[in-house]
């Protein structure tokens, strides 16, 4: 980067920071999707268990 003008260095730093933020957001989004799918799977299992049980009457 020696000899680059300061404005270009600044722009490169901004772009690098933006890429890092996007990568972090992608990771967060992927984790959210995974958690959401796991939640749906748990709900499906609970519903299936509840459906399979005979009704309890008092």
């Amino acid at each position: 980067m020696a000899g680059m003008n300061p404005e270009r260095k600044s722009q490169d730093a901004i772009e690098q920071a933006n890429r890092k933020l996007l990568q972090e957001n992608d990771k967060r989004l992927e984790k959210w999707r995974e958690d959401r799918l796991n939640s749906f799977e748990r709900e499906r299992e609970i519903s299936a268990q509840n459906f399979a049980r005979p009704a309890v009457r008092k």
Side-chain angles (χ1 to χ4, degrees):
M1 272 209 222
M4 289 181 70
N5 72 36
E7 190 175 305
R8 185 67 220 161
K9 283 184 184 179
S10 177
Q11 185 64 32
D12 286 346
I14 290 169
E15 289 173 3
Q16 185 175 2
N18 283 340
R19 279 192 299 273
K20 184 177 179 184
L21 285 173
L22 287 172
Q23 288 173 343
E24 289 171 0
N25 284 339
D26 285 346
K27 287 179 187 176
R28 259 196 302 272
L29 180 59
E30 189 59 37
K31 179 161 178 21
W32 178 85
R33 286 179 177 151
E34 188 176 316
D35 290 346
R36 187 110 166 118
L37 285 173
N38 289 339
S39 172
F40 286 146
E41 188 63 31
R42 279 193 306 274
E43 285 294 320
R44 190 177 315 135
E45 288 173 4
I46 290 169
S47 293
Q49 288 171 0
N50 289 339
F51 183 74
R53 287 188 188 134
V56 176
R57 298 186 185 204
K58 293 183 179 182

Short mmCIF file of all heavy atoms in Angstrom, two decimals:
data_model
loop_
_atom_site.label_atom_id
_atom_site.label_comp_id
_atom_site.label_asym_id
_atom_site.label_seq_id
_atom_site.Cartn_x
_atom_site.Cartn_y
_atom_site.Cartn_z
N MET A 1 0.81 -1.20 0.00
CA MET A 1 0.00 0.00 0.00
C MET A 1 0.85 1.26 0.00
O MET A 1 0.31 2.33 -0.01
CB MET A 1 -0.92 0.01 1.22
CG MET A 1 -2.23 -0.67 0.99
SD MET A 1 -3.44 0.10 2.03
CE MET A 1 -4.31 -1.28 2.63
N ALA A 2 2.14 1.09 0.07
CA ALA A 2 3.02 2.26 0.05
C ALA A 2 2.81 3.02 -1.24
O ALA A 2 2.68 2.45 -2.31
CB ALA A 2 4.47 1.81 0.19
N GLY A 3 2.73 4.33 -1.12
CA GLY A 3 2.55 5.16 -2.29
C GLY A 3 1.10 5.38 -2.68
O GLY A 3 0.82 6.16 -3.58
N MET A 4 0.17 4.66 -2.04
CA MET A 4 -1.25 4.89 -2.36
C MET A 4 -1.70 6.19 -1.71
O MET A 4 -1.18 6.59 -0.67
CB MET A 4 -2.12 3.75 -1.81
CG MET A 4 -1.95 2.45 -2.56
SD MET A 4 -3.02 1.17 -1.90
CE MET A 4 -4.63 1.73 -2.39
N ASN A 5 -2.65 6.83 -2.35
CA ASN A 5 -3.11 8.06 -1.73
C ASN A 5 -3.97 7.75 -0.50
O ASN A 5 -4.58 6.68 -0.42
CB ASN A 5 -3.83 8.95 -2.76
CG ASN A 5 -5.18 8.42 -3.18
OD1 ASN A 5 -5.90 7.85 -2.38
ND2 ASN A 5 -5.54 8.63 -4.43
N PRO A 6 -4.00 8.65 0.46
CA PRO A 6 -4.71 8.40 1.73
C PRO A 6 -6.20 8.13 1.53
O PRO A 6 -6.80 7.35 2.25
CB PRO A 6 -4.50 9.68 2.53
CG PRO A 6 -3.36 10.38 1.89
CD PRO A 6 -3.31 9.91 0.46
N GLU A 7 -6.79 8.77 0.52
CA GLU A 7 -8.23 8.58 0.27
C GLU A 7 -8.50 7.13 -0.14
O GLU A 7 -9.48 6.52 0.29
CB GLU A 7 -8.68 9.54 -0.83
CG GLU A 7 -10.18 9.59 -1.01
CD GLU A 7 -10.60 10.64 -2.03
OE1 GLU A 7 -10.20 11.81 -1.87
OE2 GLU A 7 -11.29 10.25 -2.96
N ARG A 8 -7.64 6.56 -0.96
CA ARG A 8 -7.80 5.17 -1.40
C ARG A 8 -7.62 4.20 -0.24
O ARG A 8 -8.34 3.23 -0.10
CB ARG A 8 -6.79 4.86 -2.51
CG ARG A 8 -6.95 3.49 -3.11
CD ARG A 8 -8.25 3.35 -3.88
NE ARG A 8 -8.80 2.04 -3.61
CZ ARG A 8 -10.05 1.67 -3.81
NH1 ARG A 8 -10.91 2.53 -4.29
NH2 ARG A 8 -10.45 0.48 -3.53
N LYS A 9 -6.64 4.49 0.64
CA LYS A 9 -6.43 3.66 1.82
C LYS A 9 -7.68 3.66 2.68
O LYS A 9 -8.10 2.64 3.19
CB LYS A 9 -5.24 4.17 2.64
CG LYS A 9 -3.89 3.83 2.08
CD LYS A 9 -2.82 4.31 3.04
CE LYS A 9 -1.43 4.08 2.50
NZ LYS A 9 -0.41 4.58 3.43
N SER A 10 -8.23 4.85 2.85
CA SER A 10 -9.43 4.99 3.66
C SER A 10 -10.59 4.20 3.05
O SER A 10 -11.33 3.50 3.74
CB SER A 10 -9.81 6.47 3.78
OG SER A 10 -11.00 6.61 4.50
N GLN A 11 -10.75 4.29 1.74
CA GLN A 11 -11.81 3.57 1.04
C GLN A 11 -11.60 2.05 1.18
O GLN A 11 -12.55 1.31 1.43
CB GLN A 11 -11.84 3.96 -0.44
CG GLN A 11 -12.99 3.34 -1.21
CD GLN A 11 -14.36 3.81 -0.72
OE1 GLN A 11 -14.52 4.94 -0.27
NE2 GLN A 11 -15.34 2.94 -0.80
N ASP A 12 -10.37 1.60 1.06
CA ASP A 12 -10.07 0.17 1.23
C ASP A 12 -10.43 -0.30 2.64
O ASP A 12 -10.98 -1.38 2.83
CB ASP A 12 -8.60 -0.11 0.95
CG ASP A 12 -8.25 -0.05 -0.53
OD1 ASP A 12 -9.18 -0.06 -1.37
OD2 ASP A 12 -7.05 0.02 -0.85
N ALA A 13 -10.10 0.53 3.64
CA ALA A 13 -10.41 0.17 5.03
C ALA A 13 -11.92 0.08 5.23
O ALA A 13 -12.41 -0.83 5.90
CB ALA A 13 -9.80 1.19 5.98
N ILE A 14 -12.65 1.00 4.63
CA ILE A 14 -14.12 0.98 4.74
C ILE A 14 -14.67 -0.28 4.08
O ILE A 14 -15.53 -0.96 4.63
CB ILE A 14 -14.72 2.25 4.10
CG1 ILE A 14 -14.40 3.47 4.95
CG2 ILE A 14 -16.23 2.10 3.92
CD1 ILE A 14 -14.71 4.79 4.30
N GLU A 15 -14.18 -0.60 2.90
CA GLU A 15 -14.65 -1.80 2.19
C GLU A 15 -14.33 -3.07 2.98
O GLU A 15 -15.15 -3.98 3.05
CB GLU A 15 -14.05 -1.86 0.79
CG GLU A 15 -14.62 -0.80 -0.14
CD GLU A 15 -13.91 -0.73 -1.48
OE1 GLU A 15 -13.00 -1.54 -1.74
OE2 GLU A 15 -14.26 0.16 -2.27
N GLN A 16 -13.15 -3.11 3.57
CA GLN A 16 -12.76 -4.28 4.36
C GLN A 16 -13.67 -4.41 5.59
O GLN A 16 -14.13 -5.51 5.92
CB GLN A 16 -11.30 -4.15 4.80
CG GLN A 16 -10.79 -5.37 5.53
CD GLN A 16 -9.30 -5.26 5.85
OE1 GLN A 16 -8.67 -4.25 5.55
NE2 GLN A 16 -8.76 -6.29 6.44
N ALA A 17 -13.95 -3.30 6.25
CA ALA A 17 -14.85 -3.33 7.41
C ALA A 17 -16.25 -3.76 7.00
O ALA A 17 -16.90 -4.54 7.71
CB ALA A 17 -14.89 -1.94 8.07
N ASN A 18 -16.70 -3.30 5.84
CA ASN A 18 -18.03 -3.69 5.35
C ASN A 18 -18.08 -5.19 5.04
O ASN A 18 -19.07 -5.85 5.36
CB ASN A 18 -18.41 -2.89 4.10
CG ASN A 18 -18.85 -1.49 4.44
OD1 ASN A 18 -19.23 -1.20 5.57
ND2 ASN A 18 -18.80 -0.60 3.46
N ARG A 19 -17.02 -5.72 4.44
CA ARG A 19 -16.98 -7.16 4.16
C ARG A 19 -17.04 -7.96 5.46
O ARG A 19 -17.73 -8.97 5.55
CB ARG A 19 -15.71 -7.52 3.38
CG ARG A 19 -15.82 -7.24 1.88
CD ARG A 19 -14.68 -7.87 1.10
NE ARG A 19 -13.38 -7.36 1.49
CZ ARG A 19 -12.80 -6.27 1.00
NH1 ARG A 19 -13.41 -5.57 0.06
NH2 ARG A 19 -11.60 -5.89 1.40
N LYS A 20 -16.31 -7.48 6.46
CA LYS A 20 -16.31 -8.17 7.76
C LYS A 20 -17.72 -8.14 8.36
O LYS A 20 -18.20 -9.16 8.88
CB LYS A 20 -15.32 -7.51 8.70
CG LYS A 20 -15.19 -8.22 10.03
CD LYS A 20 -14.14 -7.58 10.90
CE LYS A 20 -14.08 -8.31 12.24
NZ LYS A 20 -13.15 -7.67 13.15
N LEU A 21 -18.38 -7.00 8.31
CA LEU A 21 -19.75 -6.90 8.84
C LEU A 21 -20.70 -7.83 8.09
O LEU A 21 -21.54 -8.50 8.70
CB LEU A 21 -20.26 -5.46 8.75
CG LEU A 21 -19.70 -4.47 9.76
CD1 LEU A 21 -20.17 -3.06 9.43
CD2 LEU A 21 -20.11 -4.86 11.17
N LEU A 22 -20.56 -7.90 6.78
CA LEU A 22 -21.42 -8.79 5.99
C LEU A 22 -21.18 -10.25 6.36
O LEU A 22 -22.12 -11.03 6.47
CB LEU A 22 -21.18 -8.57 4.49
CG LEU A 22 -21.74 -7.28 3.91
CD1 LEU A 22 -21.27 -7.10 2.48
CD2 LEU A 22 -23.26 -7.28 3.97
N GLN A 23 -19.92 -10.62 6.57
CA GLN A 23 -19.61 -12.00 6.96
C GLN A 23 -20.22 -12.32 8.33
O GLN A 23 -20.78 -13.40 8.52
CB GLN A 23 -18.10 -12.21 7.01
CG GLN A 23 -17.46 -12.26 5.65
CD GLN A 23 -15.93 -12.30 5.72
OE1 GLN A 23 -15.35 -11.98 6.76
NE2 GLN A 23 -15.31 -12.68 4.62
N GLU A 24 -20.13 -11.37 9.26
CA GLU A 24 -20.71 -11.58 10.58
C GLU A 24 -22.23 -11.72 10.49
O GLU A 24 -22.83 -12.57 11.15
CB GLU A 24 -20.34 -10.44 11.52
CG GLU A 24 -18.88 -10.44 11.91
CD GLU A 24 -18.45 -9.19 12.65
OE1 GLU A 24 -19.29 -8.29 12.87
OE2 GLU A 24 -17.26 -9.10 13.02
N ASN A 25 -22.84 -10.88 9.66
CA ASN A 25 -24.29 -10.96 9.48
C ASN A 25 -24.69 -12.28 8.83
O ASN A 25 -25.71 -12.87 9.21
CB ASN A 25 -24.81 -9.78 8.64
CG ASN A 25 -24.86 -8.50 9.43
OD1 ASN A 25 -24.89 -8.51 10.66
ND2 ASN A 25 -24.88 -7.38 8.74
N ASP A 26 -23.89 -12.75 7.87
CA ASP A 26 -24.17 -14.05 7.24
C ASP A 26 -24.13 -15.17 8.28
O ASP A 26 -24.97 -16.06 8.27
CB ASP A 26 -23.17 -14.34 6.12
CG ASP A 26 -23.43 -13.52 4.87
OD1 ASP A 26 -24.52 -12.92 4.76
OD2 ASP A 26 -22.54 -13.49 4.00
N LYS A 27 -23.14 -15.12 9.16
CA LYS A 27 -23.03 -16.14 10.21
C LYS A 27 -24.24 -16.09 11.13
O LYS A 27 -24.79 -17.13 11.49
CB LYS A 27 -21.75 -15.94 11.02
CG LYS A 27 -20.49 -16.34 10.28
CD LYS A 27 -19.27 -16.08 11.14
CE LYS A 27 -18.00 -16.31 10.36
NZ LYS A 27 -16.81 -15.97 11.15
N ARG A 28 -24.63 -14.88 11.52
CA ARG A 28 -25.80 -14.73 12.40
C ARG A 28 -27.06 -15.24 11.73
O ARG A 28 -27.89 -15.91 12.35
CB ARG A 28 -25.98 -13.26 12.79
CG ARG A 28 -25.46 -12.94 14.17
CD ARG A 28 -25.99 -11.62 14.69
NE ARG A 28 -25.66 -10.50 13.83
CZ ARG A 28 -24.56 -9.79 13.91
NH1 ARG A 28 -23.65 -10.08 14.81
NH2 ARG A 28 -24.34 -8.78 13.10
N LEU A 29 -27.23 -14.91 10.46
CA LEU A 29 -28.40 -15.36 9.72
C LEU A 29 -28.42 -16.87 9.60
O LEU A 29 -29.47 -17.51 9.78
CB LEU A 29 -28.42 -14.72 8.33
CG LEU A 29 -29.60 -15.08 7.43
CD1 LEU A 29 -30.93 -14.70 8.08
CD2 LEU A 29 -29.46 -14.42 6.08
N GLU A 30 -27.29 -17.47 9.33
CA GLU A 30 -27.21 -18.93 9.22
C GLU A 30 -27.57 -19.59 10.55
O GLU A 30 -28.30 -20.57 10.58
CB GLU A 30 -25.80 -19.34 8.78
CG GLU A 30 -25.69 -20.80 8.44
CD GLU A 30 -26.63 -21.25 7.33
OE1 GLU A 30 -26.86 -20.49 6.38
OE2 GLU A 30 -27.15 -22.38 7.43
N LYS A 31 -27.07 -19.04 11.65
CA LYS A 31 -27.40 -19.58 12.97
C LYS A 31 -28.90 -19.43 13.23
O LYS A 31 -29.53 -20.34 13.75
CB LYS A 31 -26.59 -18.88 14.05
CG LYS A 31 -26.93 -19.41 15.44
CD LYS A 31 -25.88 -19.09 16.45
CE LYS A 31 -26.19 -19.56 17.85
NZ LYS A 31 -27.15 -20.60 18.03
N TRP A 32 -29.47 -18.27 12.88
CA TRP A 32 -30.91 -18.05 13.08
C TRP A 32 -31.70 -19.08 12.28
O TRP A 32 -32.66 -19.66 12.80
CB TRP A 32 -31.28 -16.63 12.64
CG TRP A 32 -32.74 -16.34 12.77
CD1 TRP A 32 -33.39 -15.91 13.89
CD2 TRP A 32 -33.74 -16.47 11.75
NE1 TRP A 32 -34.73 -15.77 13.61
CE2 TRP A 32 -34.97 -16.10 12.32
CE3 TRP A 32 -33.70 -16.87 10.42
CZ2 TRP A 32 -36.15 -16.11 11.60
CZ3 TRP A 32 -34.88 -16.88 9.70
CH2 TRP A 32 -36.08 -16.50 10.28
N ARG A 33 -31.32 -19.31 11.02
CA ARG A 33 -32.02 -20.30 10.19
C ARG A 33 -31.95 -21.69 10.82
O ARG A 33 -32.93 -22.42 10.85
CB ARG A 33 -31.42 -20.35 8.79
CG ARG A 33 -31.77 -19.18 7.93
CD ARG A 33 -31.10 -19.31 6.58
NE ARG A 33 -31.47 -18.23 5.70
CZ ARG A 33 -30.70 -17.77 4.74
NH1 ARG A 33 -29.51 -18.31 4.54
NH2 ARG A 33 -31.10 -16.78 3.97
N GLU A 34 -30.75 -22.04 11.28
CA GLU A 34 -30.56 -23.35 11.89
C GLU A 34 -31.42 -23.49 13.16
O GLU A 34 -32.09 -24.51 13.35
CB GLU A 34 -29.08 -23.53 12.24
CG GLU A 34 -28.72 -24.91 12.69
CD GLU A 34 -27.22 -25.03 12.93
OE1 GLU A 34 -26.45 -24.55 12.08
OE2 GLU A 34 -26.85 -25.61 13.97
N ASP A 35 -31.41 -22.47 13.99
CA ASP A 35 -32.23 -22.49 15.21
C ASP A 35 -33.71 -22.59 14.87
O ASP A 35 -34.47 -23.30 15.52
CB ASP A 35 -31.98 -21.24 16.06
CG ASP A 35 -30.61 -21.22 16.70
OD1 ASP A 35 -29.94 -22.27 16.72
OD2 ASP A 35 -30.20 -20.14 17.17
N ARG A 36 -34.11 -21.87 13.84
CA ARG A 36 -35.52 -21.88 13.42
C ARG A 36 -35.93 -23.27 12.92
O ARG A 36 -37.00 -23.77 13.26
CB ARG A 36 -35.71 -20.84 12.32
CG ARG A 36 -37.12 -20.61 11.92
CD ARG A 36 -37.57 -19.26 12.39
NE ARG A 36 -38.81 -18.95 11.71
CZ ARG A 36 -39.95 -18.76 12.35
NH1 ARG A 36 -39.97 -18.84 13.66
NH2 ARG A 36 -41.04 -18.51 11.70
N LEU A 37 -35.08 -23.89 12.11
CA LEU A 37 -35.37 -25.24 11.63
C LEU A 37 -35.44 -26.23 12.78
O LEU A 37 -36.33 -27.09 12.82
CB LEU A 37 -34.31 -25.68 10.62
CG LEU A 37 -34.40 -25.05 9.24
CD1 LEU A 37 -33.19 -25.45 8.41
CD2 LEU A 37 -35.69 -25.44 8.54
N ASN A 38 -34.51 -26.09 13.74
CA ASN A 38 -34.54 -26.96 14.91
C ASN A 38 -35.83 -26.75 15.70
O ASN A 38 -36.41 -27.71 16.19
CB ASN A 38 -33.33 -26.71 15.80
CG ASN A 38 -32.05 -27.23 15.18
OD1 ASN A 38 -32.07 -28.08 14.32
ND2 ASN A 38 -30.93 -26.69 15.62
N SER A 39 -36.27 -25.52 15.80
CA SER A 39 -37.51 -25.22 16.51
C SER A 39 -38.69 -25.88 15.81
O SER A 39 -39.55 -26.48 16.46
CB SER A 39 -37.70 -23.70 16.57
OG SER A 39 -38.96 -23.39 17.09
N PHE A 40 -38.75 -25.77 14.49
CA PHE A 40 -39.84 -26.41 13.73
C PHE A 40 -39.81 -27.91 13.93
O PHE A 40 -40.85 -28.55 14.09
CB PHE A 40 -39.74 -26.09 12.24
CG PHE A 40 -40.12 -24.69 11.88
CD1 PHE A 40 -39.48 -24.04 10.83
CD2 PHE A 40 -41.12 -24.01 12.56
CE1 PHE A 40 -39.83 -22.74 10.49
CE2 PHE A 40 -41.47 -22.71 12.22
CZ PHE A 40 -40.83 -22.08 11.19
N GLU A 41 -38.61 -28.48 13.92
CA GLU A 41 -38.48 -29.93 14.09
C GLU A 41 -38.98 -30.35 15.47
O GLU A 41 -39.69 -31.34 15.60
CB GLU A 41 -37.02 -30.35 13.89
CG GLU A 41 -36.81 -31.84 13.86
CD GLU A 41 -37.51 -32.52 12.69
OE1 GLU A 41 -37.65 -31.90 11.63
OE2 GLU A 41 -37.92 -33.67 12.87
N ARG A 42 -38.61 -29.60 16.51
CA ARG A 42 -39.09 -29.91 17.87
C ARG A 42 -40.60 -29.81 17.94
O ARG A 42 -41.26 -30.66 18.53
CB ARG A 42 -38.46 -28.95 18.89
CG ARG A 42 -37.06 -29.34 19.31
CD ARG A 42 -36.61 -28.56 20.54
NE ARG A 42 -36.71 -27.12 20.38
CZ ARG A 42 -35.79 -26.35 19.84
NH1 ARG A 42 -34.68 -26.86 19.38
NH2 ARG A 42 -35.97 -25.05 19.75
N GLU A 43 -41.17 -28.76 17.34
CA GLU A 43 -42.63 -28.59 17.34
C GLU A 43 -43.30 -29.77 16.65
O GLU A 43 -44.32 -30.27 17.11
CB GLU A 43 -43.02 -27.28 16.65
CG GLU A 43 -42.77 -26.05 17.46
CD GLU A 43 -43.63 -25.98 18.71
OE1 GLU A 43 -44.82 -26.33 18.64
OE2 GLU A 43 -43.10 -25.59 19.76
N ARG A 44 -42.73 -30.21 15.55
CA ARG A 44 -43.30 -31.33 14.80
C ARG A 44 -43.27 -32.60 15.65
O ARG A 44 -44.24 -33.36 15.69
CB ARG A 44 -42.53 -31.53 13.49
CG ARG A 44 -43.21 -32.50 12.56
CD ARG A 44 -42.50 -32.65 11.24
NE ARG A 44 -42.09 -31.37 10.67
CZ ARG A 44 -40.90 -31.15 10.14
NH1 ARG A 44 -40.00 -32.10 10.08
NH2 ARG A 44 -40.60 -29.98 9.64
N GLU A 45 -42.14 -32.81 16.34
CA GLU A 45 -42.02 -34.00 17.19
C GLU A 45 -43.02 -33.95 18.35
O GLU A 45 -43.66 -34.95 18.66
CB GLU A 45 -40.60 -34.12 17.73
CG GLU A 45 -39.59 -34.53 16.69
CD GLU A 45 -38.15 -34.48 17.20
OE1 GLU A 45 -37.96 -34.19 18.40
OE2 GLU A 45 -37.25 -34.74 16.39
N ILE A 46 -43.15 -32.80 18.97
CA ILE A 46 -44.09 -32.65 20.09
C ILE A 46 -45.52 -32.88 19.60
O ILE A 46 -46.30 -33.59 20.24
CB ILE A 46 -43.94 -31.26 20.75
CG1 ILE A 46 -42.60 -31.19 21.49
CG2 ILE A 46 -45.09 -30.97 21.68
CD1 ILE A 46 -42.21 -29.80 21.95
N SER A 47 -45.85 -32.31 18.45
CA SER A 47 -47.19 -32.50 17.89
C SER A 47 -47.45 -33.97 17.60
O SER A 47 -48.54 -34.48 17.87
CB SER A 47 -47.37 -31.67 16.62
OG SER A 47 -47.35 -30.31 16.92
N ALA A 48 -46.46 -34.65 17.05
CA ALA A 48 -46.62 -36.06 16.72
C ALA A 48 -46.80 -36.88 18.00
O ALA A 48 -47.63 -37.79 18.05
CB ALA A 48 -45.41 -36.56 15.94
N GLN A 49 -46.06 -36.55 19.04
CA GLN A 49 -46.19 -37.26 20.31
C GLN A 49 -47.57 -37.02 20.92
O GLN A 49 -48.21 -37.95 21.41
CB GLN A 49 -45.11 -36.79 21.30
CG GLN A 49 -43.72 -37.26 20.96
CD GLN A 49 -42.67 -36.61 21.83
OE1 GLN A 49 -42.99 -35.80 22.70
NE2 GLN A 49 -41.41 -36.94 21.59
N ASN A 50 -48.02 -35.78 20.88
CA ASN A 50 -49.33 -35.45 21.45
C ASN A 50 -50.45 -36.15 20.65
O ASN A 50 -51.45 -36.58 21.23
CB ASN A 50 -49.57 -33.95 21.48
CG ASN A 50 -48.71 -33.27 22.52
OD1 ASN A 50 -48.23 -33.89 23.45
ND2 ASN A 50 -48.50 -31.98 22.35
N PHE A 51 -50.28 -36.24 19.37
CA PHE A 51 -51.29 -36.88 18.52
C PHE A 51 -51.35 -38.38 18.79
O PHE A 51 -52.41 -38.98 18.78
CB PHE A 51 -50.96 -36.62 17.05
CG PHE A 51 -51.99 -37.16 16.11
CD1 PHE A 51 -53.22 -36.54 15.97
CD2 PHE A 51 -51.73 -38.31 15.38
CE1 PHE A 51 -54.17 -37.05 15.10
CE2 PHE A 51 -52.68 -38.84 14.51
CZ PHE A 51 -53.91 -38.20 14.38
N ALA A 52 -50.19 -38.96 19.08
CA ALA A 52 -50.10 -40.41 19.27
C ALA A 52 -50.65 -40.83 20.65
O ALA A 52 -51.05 -41.98 20.82
CB ALA A 52 -48.66 -40.88 19.13
N ARG A 53 -50.65 -39.92 21.60
CA ARG A 53 -51.13 -40.27 22.94
C ARG A 53 -52.66 -40.33 22.97
O ARG A 53 -53.32 -39.48 22.37
CB ARG A 53 -50.70 -39.20 23.95
CG ARG A 53 -49.25 -39.24 24.26
CD ARG A 53 -48.94 -38.28 25.41
NE ARG A 53 -47.51 -38.19 25.57
CZ ARG A 53 -46.85 -37.05 25.72
NH1 ARG A 53 -47.50 -35.92 25.77
NH2 ARG A 53 -45.55 -37.06 25.84
N PRO A 54 -53.20 -41.26 23.69
CA PRO A 54 -54.66 -41.27 23.83
C PRO A 54 -55.10 -40.09 24.69
O PRO A 54 -54.36 -39.63 25.55
CB PRO A 54 -54.94 -42.59 24.53
CG PRO A 54 -53.65 -43.01 25.14
CD PRO A 54 -52.56 -42.36 24.35
N ALA A 55 -56.26 -39.60 24.44
CA ALA A 55 -56.78 -38.47 25.20
C ALA A 55 -57.00 -38.90 26.65
O ALA A 55 -57.48 -40.00 26.91
CB ALA A 55 -58.08 -37.98 24.60
N VAL A 56 -56.67 -38.04 27.56
CA VAL A 56 -56.85 -38.32 29.00
C VAL A 56 -58.16 -37.65 29.41
O VAL A 56 -58.36 -36.47 29.21
CB VAL A 56 -55.67 -37.76 29.82
CG1 VAL A 56 -55.92 -37.97 31.30
CG2 VAL A 56 -54.37 -38.40 29.38
N ARG A 57 -59.04 -38.44 29.96
CA ARG A 57 -60.31 -37.87 30.42
C ARG A 57 -60.44 -38.03 31.91
O ARG A 57 -60.06 -39.04 32.47
CB ARG A 57 -61.47 -38.61 29.72
CG ARG A 57 -61.39 -38.40 28.24
CD ARG A 57 -62.57 -38.97 27.57
NE ARG A 57 -62.32 -38.82 26.12
CZ ARG A 57 -63.27 -38.78 25.25
NH1 ARG A 57 -64.51 -38.91 25.60
NH2 ARG A 57 -62.99 -38.62 23.98
N LYS A 58 -61.00 -37.02 32.52
CA LYS A 58 -61.18 -37.06 33.97
C LYS A 58 -62.57 -37.52 34.33
O LYS A 58 -63.52 -37.35 33.68
CB LYS A 58 -60.94 -35.67 34.55
CG LYS A 58 -59.50 -35.25 34.40
CD LYS A 58 -59.28 -33.91 35.04
CE LYS A 58 -57.82 -33.52 34.92
NZ LYS A 58 -57.52 -32.28 35.53
#
